[in-house]
Amino acid sequence: MTRAAVGALLLCVPLSLAAGPLAGTAHLVGVGAAWAYNLRLKATAASWVPYALAFGLLPAFVTLALPGRPWPPLWLTGAAALLGAGAHFANVLPDIADDLATGVRGLPQRLGARRSAAVAAGLVLASTACLLLGQPGRSGPYAGGLLALTCVLLCAAARAGGRMPFLATMGVAGADVLLLLVLGTGLG
């Protein structure tokens, strides 16, 4: 397992840089954030930071590889970072009890399942708002309704408990990715 991880890391450097020096650097910083999470930050109150950083850099990796190497707009970087942090809180939900038993005390574990579900929902809802409202003139007439529906879904799931907060948050996260693809960014 260690050899495979080291091999993947060694291949990651030239493959990332093949997209260009700026795009490659953005990707490698994201990979570094993932390693920092696994090696140390997972068990700290800063456990969400690598997720926010790595997800937030994904749009930069894509746009910096385009002709002209444009930086992504702030709303897109913010939406991606919020989505990453929300995904972290949601991903931890099913395993909080096991994590606490094994000594993993990241921020979601410290907050507990109920508060972490609420934080996950809030972060993913904020990501949706950035996607729907961040692009000037591109949100369309249904943006407010979609945002309200997302809010109702996440609130209902958070109150339901069990696996529902996890499933709803992951569902909205997936919908955010689809929403980004449908709306487009006008960066090309």
Side-chain angles (χ1 to χ4, degrees):
M1 180 93 129
T2 301
R3 280 198 280 186
V6 170
L9 181 60
L10 292 175
L11 287 172
C12 182
V13 173
L15 291 173
S16 296
L17 294 173
L22 290 175
T25 300
H27 185 257
L28 291 172
V29 170
V31 170
W35 277 78
Y37 173 81
N38 284 328
L39 294 175
R40 173 74 179 114
L41 295 177
K42 176 196 249 184
T44 71
S47 62
W48 61 275
V49 173
Y51 276 80
L53 179 62
F55 275 65
L57 285 171
L58 279 173
F61 173 65
V62 173
T63 63
L64 291 172
L66 293 172
R69 295 174 182 76
W71 284 93
L74 187 57
W75 64 263
L76 181 55
T77 300
L82 289 164
L83 181 62
H88 169 57
F89 278 87
N91 189 48
V92 168
L93 288 174
D95 302 319
I96 283 183
D98 292 338
D99 288 343
L100 290 172
T102 59
V104 175
R105 298 208 20 95
L107 188 56
Q109 291 87 352
R110 293 169 193 229
L111 294 176
R114 191 168 231 25
R115 283 188 278 183
S116 289
V119 170
L123 289 167
V124 173
L125 181 62
S127 175
T128 304
C130 284
L131 291 175
L132 288 172
L133 307 173
Q135 300 182 75
R138 301 207 55 194
S139 62
Y142 302 108
L146 185 56
L147 194 56
L149 179 63
T150 302
C151 184
V152 168
L153 170 69
L154 289 170
C155 288
R159 292 183 59 84
R163 288 191 50 83
M164 282 307 298
F166 169 75
L167 295 172
T169 303
M170 294 278 92
V172 171
D176 280 355
V177 172
L178 290 175
L179 181 63
L180 179 59
L181 293 173
V182 169
L183 292 176
T185 63
L187 296 174

